[in-house]
Amino acid sequence: MSSTLKILITSQKGGVGKSTVSANLAAYFSYTSGKKTSLIDFDHQATAGKWVKKAYPIGIDCKTVDLPNAKGSGIALLKAKEALRKAVEVSEVIITDLTWTDVLPPDFLFEFDLVLVPSSLSRVELDSTLEFINRFSFVFNSRLRNPPKLVIVPSRVDNLQTYEGIFSKSFNAGFFLSPPVMYSASANDFFGTEFFVMTTNDSIRENFIEFGRSIEQLGQIETDYRQNSKPEALTPKVSGSILDRFRAVRNSSQNPSVRTAANDSVKAAVSNRGIKSVIPSFLMMGRDG
């Protein structure tokens, strides 16, 4: 089995910071971690790809792939898988940017180790993110195949108290919560010129390095697991949809019961107390540790 870490950054909404996270996460792995990194941009506008190609070259292998929507899901899936296969041959890490479209079947999500879904803290975008989780919960909770780990990425966050309150009280689905990618009025000036991990702006650089480090550590846990795992007997699925769980927690005055991630260093340093990336116990069913 390939040891290449494959990360999909996706959302069914535009304007949530997906391309910004994609380009800069690729820069984190290439520049900060020194790993052979590929960026595959499946978006029609190819914003992440343009950012990487125009900025100072740091060794990212960047490909833009226009999926042929008009030719049906079969052709689109073959083209997407072919791009991934070629990238695996030359990369330690693959970052894939995709605005989710139904031209690709849900099974495409199984190609990845991590699926990152950026979302701002607005109720509209949170509801859209929740709908995405609920829609593909059968993938993330699969017992028939190794499911990708789902990571919600709070993006463009400008208030840590709001971030902490929403994500510690409102969600109880099977996902990891990453450190927030903080909002900066100057972030747009970076497009095509500079990466967050290379800037002299200390707050932007340190915030994104913290985010990138948490994704790297979680990815290492997942790739180690996939390489060492053995087929397991089927276990009963947890009853209730993710949407039901969300509603139950939203209407409750109690914080959801969660387990900390296997690696305590995967956390967000957002306050003296800190917010750890957490994973509800039902997502860990059938996995050792």
Side-chain angles (χ1 to χ4, degrees):
M1 178 179 293
S2 171
S3 61
T4 301
L5 173 62
K6 293 180 288 184
I7 300 174
L8 173 65
I9 301 174
T10 189
S11 171
Q12 48 193 8
K13 283 182 61 64
V16 295
K18 180 175 56 61
S19 296
T20 297
V21 171
S22 298
N24 286 281
L25 188 58
Y28 167 85
F29 278 105
S30 180
Y31 181 79
T32 306
S33 292
K35 295 184 177 180
K36 295 180 180 178
T37 304
S38 291
L39 172 71
I40 304 175
D41 196 335
F42 285 127
D43 277 359
H44 180 69
Q45 294 181 335
T47 303
K50 291 176 182 176
W51 190 326
V52 169
K53 291 177 180 178
K54 291 181 178 180
Y56 183 81
I58 57 174
I60 301 171
D61 180 42
C62 182
K63 305 293 184 185
T64 56
V65 180
D66 192 9
L67 298 180
N69 294 355
K71 295 184 179 180
S73 61
I75 299 297
L77 180 61
L78 287 174
K79 194 169 184 178
K81 284 189 173 183
E82 177 67 8
L84 280 175
R85 184 190 64 78
K86 289 181 178 179
V88 165
E89 295 175 353
V90 297
S91 308
E92 296 175 271
V93 179
I94 300 172
I95 306 296
T96 305
D97 184 13
L98 171 67
T99 298
W100 186 263
T101 170
D102 287 339
V103 72
L104 289 171
D107 277 5
F108 184 59
L109 296 170
F110 283 109
E111 297 292 325
F112 299 90
D113 301 294
L114 305 179
V115 174
L116 276 57
V117 182
S119 176
S120 78
L121 302 186
S122 74
R123 178 51 58 187
V124 172
E125 289 189 10
L126 288 172
D127 284 348
S128 176
T129 300
L130 180 62
E131 193 277 332
F132 181 90
I133 295 172
N134 185 55
R135 184 180 176 192
F136 297 110
S137 61
F138 71 95
V139 171
F140 301 116
N141 295 328
S142 175
R143 295 293 179 265
L144 299 177
R145 300 170 64 179
N146 278 335
K149 277 190 168 62
L150 175 64
V151 184
I152 304 302
V153 179
S155 63
R156 302 179 178 179
V157 176
D158 59 4
N159 185 311
L160 288 177
Q161 291 182 344
T162 303
Y163 157 81
E164 184 175 352
I166 288 178
F167 286 99
S168 66
K169 295 179 181 179
S170 296
F171 287 83
N172 191 28
F175 61 83
F176 280 91
L177 176 64
S178 81
V181 176
M182 300 300 293
Y183 172 78
S184 171
S186 63
N188 290 336
D189 297 335
F190 284 68
F191 175 75
T193 59
E194 191 176 14
F195 296 109
F196 292 170
V197 295
M198 299 174 66
T199 181
T200 56
N201 185 313
D202 291 343
S203 61
I204 292 178
R205 184 183 67 254
E206 292 173 6
N207 169 246
F208 204 87
I209 288 176
E210 176 69 19
F211 165 74
R213 185 179 298 120
S214 72
I215 299 302
E216 181 178 18
Q217 291 170 341
L218 183 58
Q220 187 62 56
I221 292 171
E222 183 64 5
T223 53
D224 287 348
Y225 170 78
R226 290 187 180 224
Q227 287 185 304
N228 298 323
S229 65
K230 298 179 181 179
E232 300 172 348
L234 292 180
T235 56
K237 291 187 177 181
V238 177
S239 61
S241 69
I242 288 178
L243 184 58
D244 291 335
R245 294 172 184 277
F246 167 76
R247 288 170 174 162
V249 174
R250 182 180 59 185
N251 295 329
S252 171
S253 60
Q254 301 296 322
N255 287 338
S257 174
V258 295
R259 285 175 54 182
T260 57
N263 188 336
D264 284 340
S265 63
V266 184
K267 61 185 179 180
V270 298
S271 66
N272 290 334
R273 290 173 293 166
I275 298 178
K276 294 182 180 179
S277 294
V278 294
I279 185 167
S281 59
F282 76 86
L283 191 62
M284 295 296 290
M285 288 178 60
R287 294 194 176 188
D288 295 334

